[in-house]
Amino acid sequence: MIDKFVRSTAEALAGVRSGATILIGGFGQVGTPNALIEALSEADLRDLTVVCNNAGTGTHGLARVMAEGRVAKIICSYPRSAGSVVLEELYREGRIALEIVPQGTIAERLRAASAGLAAFYTPTGVGTALAEGKETREFDGRTYVLEHALKGDVALIEAWCADRWGNLTYRRAGRNFNPVMAMAADLTIAQTQTVVELGALDPEAIVTPGVFVDRVVHIPYGEPDLGKPLY
Amino acid sequence: MDAIIDAKPLNRPQMAARVAADIPEGWVVNLGIGIPTLVADHVPEDREVIFHSENGVIGVGAAPADDARDPWLINAGKQHITLRAGGAYMHHADSFALIRGGHLDLCVLGAFEVAVNGDIANWSTGANEKAPAVGGAMDLAAGARRLWAVMEHTTKDGRARLVQRCSYPLTALGAVKRIYTNLAVIDVAPHGFVVREMIAGMTLDALQARSDAKLHLPA
């Protein structure tokens, strides 16, 4: 019997090593795998490369992982927002490497990795500081910049509903980066709000088929916290 | 700058309303953070315009009442939104395929500067002390079929934002088609800035004095 459920976040992260590239889903506070992110601290990992649209706020979650010195490099599109004090401090002191990538280019680099493609040409960023030093090529009179696939050793994602095969659905804007990250890592770990029996999910409604998911942990934490700033 | 003229600049909601007046039914539109976000409030309910938010929401509806917020439903600016009838969710790679693939009829972005050749600078002032942040601005500017910029005509200290050449780091080359300011509506044409409309009391000379690049009248 295939059963991808594990009982704890510690078990979910078993085997994750220092130096790993970790994809972290979520956009704002929505669809963010908070329990798995907190577990990164407890797993005593170092030299991580983190791929995440935002770079954490306040002093918990990803900000805590960074404050503890576990992240050597972060690849993101929007690190600067109200409350992103930890990243700002590490960046100012030169204690973290920061690779700024346009949001759609992050998404497509992940998608390329998920689909077995090495690289692709995109019109995004041509002629800007973010394309400096990158190969460009003209197609049909328009210039494109070469961007490379971005593969994760590990993906941490949040789903709304899962079955024991790891089939996943998401909730509203909580979908965001989660499906594409699920497909772009060697080891994909999902925390899920709800759980159903195999066969209960409508096959037409499954967004991430379980073949892309390795472990699932049930974390019914409820709604994203409205009390916290949504940045 | 010239002598004082008798013209009252548009405020932010008025600028948003002016942009909204030019958006026809049926367009798929992405609105950037700031004044652009206000544009949706000024499109009449019976005019069906499909608003996209790059975090994967297509068919963004009216802003929710404070006590009716859905914690799972935010836009790219992390503000609470609603989904209108007919709306749908998509993941990030598809959402940016929509943007890059030419499926957006229009994107409206705020800007620091727009150059006479349509270059736009809106993501960084080039200052080094803070971590830079680009979000989806470069994808939107490069991908939308039309890019309109909305901004104050000059900076707070009176410096022109309609420039010969951008001084801030670029977001995209040659992308802007039209500019809505608090003083005028200006097209970016092959031969330069063309003034389509000015607020009451504004003169071409006074507008020119507030612009770094040459302004033309329509032929």
Side-chain angles (χ1 to χ4, degrees), chain A residues 167-170 175 179 183 202-209 212, chain B residues 91:
Chain A
N167 291 308
L168 305 179
T169 66
Y170 302 91
R175 186 176 307 201
M183 295 170 66
D202 176 359
E204 302 280 7
I206 291 169
V207 177
T208 299
F212 298 109
Chain B
H91 66 71

Side-chain angles (χ1 to χ4, degrees), chain A residues 8-141:
Chain A
S8 67
T9 54
E11 200 180 326
L13 290 185
V16 176
R17 295 176 192 285
S18 289
T21 294
I22 302 192
L23 317 178
I24 300 180
F27 185 94
Q29 289 289 82
V30 181
T32 302
N34 290 309
L36 292 171
I37 296 168
E38 290 290 342
L40 282 177
S41 290
E42 268 107 61
D44 195 23
L45 297 164
R46 299 274 152 189
D47 295 322
L48 301 174
T49 293
V50 168
V51 182
C52 186
N53 188 63
N54 306 97
T57 60
T59 54
H60 51 262
L62 182 53
R64 176 184 166 198
V65 178
M66 291 191 300
E68 290 171 343
R70 302 182 188 284
V71 181
K73 180 178 183 180
I74 183 154
I75 300 173
C76 65
S77 86
Y78 209 85
R80 191 182 64 224
S81 47
S84 57
V85 285
V86 170
L87 182 277
E88 286 292 352
E89 188 179 324
L90 291 171
Y91 177 75
R92 201 168 46 239
E93 295 170 358
R95 289 162 57 206
I96 195 165
L98 178 63
E99 181 181 343
I100 297 294
V101 182
Q103 200 172 125
T105 298
I106 294 185
E108 194 62 15
R109 287 177 65 189
L110 294 164
R111 201 201 70 80
S114 80
L117 306 175
F120 57 93
Y121 285 98
T122 177
T124 300
V126 169
T128 73
L130 299 190
E132 266 171 26
K134 292 177 180 171
E135 183 183 328
T136 58
R137 186 167 163 182
E138 209 168 282
F139 296 90
D140 296 328

Side-chain angles (χ1 to χ4, degrees), chain B residues 81-148:
Chain B
I81 54 171
T82 59
L83 190 75
R84 60 166 295 151
Y89 304 114
M90 60 211 308
H91 66 71
H92 247 84
D94 278 356
S95 184
F96 279 84
L98 184 156
I99 292 168
R100 226 187 289 103
H103 308 284
L104 276 182
D105 293 291
L106 170 68
C107 176
V108 184
L109 290 179
F112 299 142
E113 294 172 325
V114 176
V116 72
N117 63 357
D119 288 359
I120 177 172
N122 87 335
W123 71 285
S124 166
T125 58
N128 287 327
E129 73 274 16
K130 288 216 162 202
V134 69
M138 287 187 183
D139 306 279
L140 287 161
R145 292 172 60 195
R146 288 175 196 82
L147 179 65
W148 294 350

